[in-house]
């Protein structure tokens, strides 16, 4: 543990009785005394507070930063209105996914949030590709307040933030602490992601935890919540070997960036990716899988067709506390990807039936106004 980095909330995690584990080079709370299942259920029913300060927060400025970033991602960044946030992908020349990220149009600059495990390589990628631009790594904490009661909590502390709708971003103060707030998250619930100066992170976290609805939630429940929400985890459900089309992320390719659009292509791997968009000739697809009984099907489980052919692999899986059944996602051969089809996951020598299903597994609670 001594070589691991620590977030500004490390001492608070210890005080709260967290079980700390290595994650993406950081010492992070996987759970608190409440336990993963109850933390999951509390977030779905009320409101959870997550420390996501291990994520990378990057400010991109210089000549037309939106136009510049479009040389690295297939998203429509030039069309992103000020104060709005958009999901994007760094793609490779081979059409794979180097990382996924969030991009905010903050007016005179872009604010990016990248994954912790890819942070260093993403920053190097930006600096190589956008050498004429300023790329500043912000020394800030990041908190996620998630769940159906998140807005009620925020209404007491920062009512202006409750005027935001899903994927909007703005800057406010909470009891004298400057915060950058987006109405978004990684749980499928309504909520807010709150960026705060590193030195103010603990004070803000304590203030949020003082509200009766709010419980500290660890990485274990964060994973089961995002899985039920059908959201990808980089390095598991998407990586350099998966294209955006195979991953079911065509919606992250902006219409102006597609063939026939006003700014078609121009990002790494564009020829292969845009060919897959048009020709639909990819051979596999990310799907949701719903199990029977209670035995969870974990990442790495091999998938077989009804007649015993190997057809895919599970990339994320577990028991869905809100669904009450095993849930998973993975890649299957395109001919096995039809909704309602059945594949069989091999678990400890047994083949368990799983039904191909739509995602998310739970109805999203995003606030759209």
């Amino acid at each position: 543990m001594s070589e691991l980095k620590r977030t500004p909330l490390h001492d608070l995690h210890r005080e709260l009785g967290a079980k700390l584990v290595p994650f993406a080079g950081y010492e992070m709370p996987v759970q608190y005394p409440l336990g993963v299942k109850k933390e999951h259920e509390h977030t779905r029913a009320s409101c959870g507070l997550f420390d996501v300060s291990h994520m990378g927060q990057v400010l991109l400025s210089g000549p037309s930063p939106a136009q510049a970033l479009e040389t690295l991602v297939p998203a429509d960044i030039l069309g992103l209105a000020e104060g709005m946030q958009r999901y994007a992908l760094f793609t490779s020349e081979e059409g794979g996914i180097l990382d996924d990220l969030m991009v905010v149009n903050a007016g005179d600059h872009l604010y990016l949030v990248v994954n912790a495990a890819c942070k260093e390589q993403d920053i190097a990628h930006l600096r190589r590709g956008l050498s004429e631009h300023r790329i500043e790594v912000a020394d800030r904490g990041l908190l996620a307040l998630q769940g159906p009661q998140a807005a009620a909590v925020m209404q007491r502390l920062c009512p202006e933030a409750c005027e935001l709708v899903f994927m909007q971003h703005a800057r406010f103060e909470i009891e004298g602490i400057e915060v950058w707030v987006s109405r978004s998250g990684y749980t499928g619930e309504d909520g807010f992601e709150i960026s705060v100066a590193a030195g103010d992170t603990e004070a803000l976290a304590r203030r949020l935890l003082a509200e009766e609805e709010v419980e500290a939630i660890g990485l274990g429940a964060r994973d089961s919540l995002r899985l039920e929400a059908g959201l990808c985890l980089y390095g598991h459900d998407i990586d350099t070997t998966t294209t955006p089309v195979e991953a079911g992320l065509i919606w992250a390719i902006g219409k102006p960036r597609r063939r026939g659009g006003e700014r078609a292509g121009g990002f790494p791997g564009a020829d292969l990716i845009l060919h897959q968009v048009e020709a639909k000739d990819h051979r596999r697809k990310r799907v949701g899988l719903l199990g029977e009984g209670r035995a969870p099907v974990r990442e790495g489980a091999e998938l077989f067709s009804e007649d015993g052919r190997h057809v895919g692999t599970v990339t994320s899986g577990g028991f869905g506390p809100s669904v009450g059944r095993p849930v998973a996602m993975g890649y299957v051969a395109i001919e096995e990807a039809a909704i309602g089809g059945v594949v069989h996951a091999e678990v400890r020598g047994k083949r368990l039936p799983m039904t191909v299903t739509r995602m998310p597994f739970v109805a999203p609670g995003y606030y759209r106004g």
Side-chain angles (χ1 to χ4, degrees):
M1 287 282 193
S2 60
E3 296 177 9
L4 297 172
K5 298 175 185 174
R6 294 174 172 179
T7 75
L9 295 187
H10 182 266
D11 291 344
L12 179 58
H13 296 318
R14 285 197 176 281
E15 182 183 317
L16 294 173
K19 178 184 178 184
L20 297 165
V21 299
F23 182 80
Y26 283 78
E27 191 175 1
M28 295 293 291
V30 68
Q31 68 179 74
Y32 297 88
L34 196 60
V36 174
K37 182 173 184 286
K38 287 183 178 177
E39 289 173 27
H40 176 115
E41 291 168 344
H42 184 87
T43 305
R44 286 269 184 258
S46 187
C47 184
L49 183 68
F50 302 75
D51 179 12
V52 288
S53 304
H54 58 315
M55 305 283 278
Q57 300 182 64
V58 181
L59 307 180
L60 172 61
S61 57
S64 186
Q67 186 173 10
L69 188 60
E70 284 197 356
T71 65
L72 300 181
V73 303
D76 175 14
I77 306 299
L78 277 168
L80 183 62
E82 186 171 346
M84 293 300 296
Q85 175 173 267
R86 182 159 288 160
Y87 179 79
L89 303 165
F90 286 130
T91 52
S92 72
E93 294 294 347
E94 297 73 36
I97 300 170
L98 299 173
D99 196 12
D100 59 349
L101 65 153
M102 287 293 189
V103 182
V104 172
N105 180 349
D108 62 348
H109 67 281
L110 299 178
Y111 164 55
L112 316 181
V113 179
V114 301
N115 282 306
C118 304
K119 182 163 49 175
E120 302 306 326
Q121 68 193 47
D122 286 351
I123 292 162
H125 184 61
L126 284 163
R127 287 184 170 144
R128 277 194 307 271
L130 309 179
S131 57
E132 296 181 10
H133 290 73
R134 185 179 180 201
I135 293 147
E136 178 188 353
V137 182
D139 183 20
R140 300 180 69 83
L142 191 63
L143 305 175
L145 187 71
Q146 300 283 297
Q149 295 301 311
V153 172
M154 195 64 95
Q155 184 67 41
R156 296 194 286 271
L157 300 181
C158 185
E160 307 94 324
C162 295
E163 297 174 16
L164 299 175
V165 297
F166 184 56
M167 296 296 266
Q168 271 192 317
H169 184 277
R171 298 185 178 187
F172 306 106
E173 280 194 1
I174 295 179
E175 298 185 358
I177 298 173
E178 185 196 6
V179 291
W180 306 349
V181 180
S182 68
R183 197 150 193 175
S184 60
Y186 194 47
T187 62
E189 297 294 336
D190 184 24
F192 304 87
E193 293 201 337
I194 307 166
S195 173
V196 54
D200 291 328
T201 308
E202 184 177 329
L204 181 60
R206 288 184 184 277
R207 183 64 189 84
L208 291 165
L209 288 167
E211 299 299 308
E212 68 172 323
E213 299 94 335
V214 184
E215 287 282 354
I217 311 295
L219 292 174
R222 186 170 184 254
D223 192 56
S224 57
L225 289 157
R226 70 92 194 164
L227 175 56
E228 287 186 341
L231 300 173
C232 292
L233 175 61
Y234 188 80
H236 300 258
D237 310 298
I238 51 176
D239 58 26
T240 56
T241 71
T242 55
T243 71
V245 178
E246 291 171 337
L249 299 174
I250 289 180
W251 55 269
I253 304 168
K255 289 184 179 177
R257 314 299 308 281
R258 302 184 194 186
R259 287 182 179 158
E262 56 265 37
R263 300 187 310 285
F267 54 89
D271 288 348
L272 183 148
I273 292 167
L274 296 180
H275 171 75
Q276 285 191 347
V277 171
E278 283 195 327
K280 298 180 174 61
D281 67 347
H282 50 293
R283 297 177 184 177
R284 60 178 185 154
K285 182 180 179 183
R286 180 174 64 95
V287 297
L289 299 165
L290 198 57
E292 299 174 6
R294 300 188 69 82
V297 176
R298 305 286 185 191
E299 175 184 356
E302 302 297 344
L303 298 170
F304 296 86
S305 65
E306 293 271 26
D307 59 5
R309 289 175 295 110
H310 181 263
V311 294
T313 307
V314 170
T315 54
S316 286
F319 189 84
S322 305
V323 180
R325 293 170 66 180
V327 294
M329 64 174 84
Y331 286 82
V332 298
I334 203 75
E335 61 270 18
E336 302 290 337
I339 301 299
V342 175
V343 294
H344 296 261
E346 189 160 274
V347 179
R348 293 188 294 276
K350 294 183 179 179
R351 293 190 179 177
L352 307 177
M354 301 196 85
T355 303
V356 177
T357 188
R358 297 186 192 280
M359 292 184 285
F361 298 98
V362 295
Y366 308 129
Y367 178 72
R368 301 181 186 273

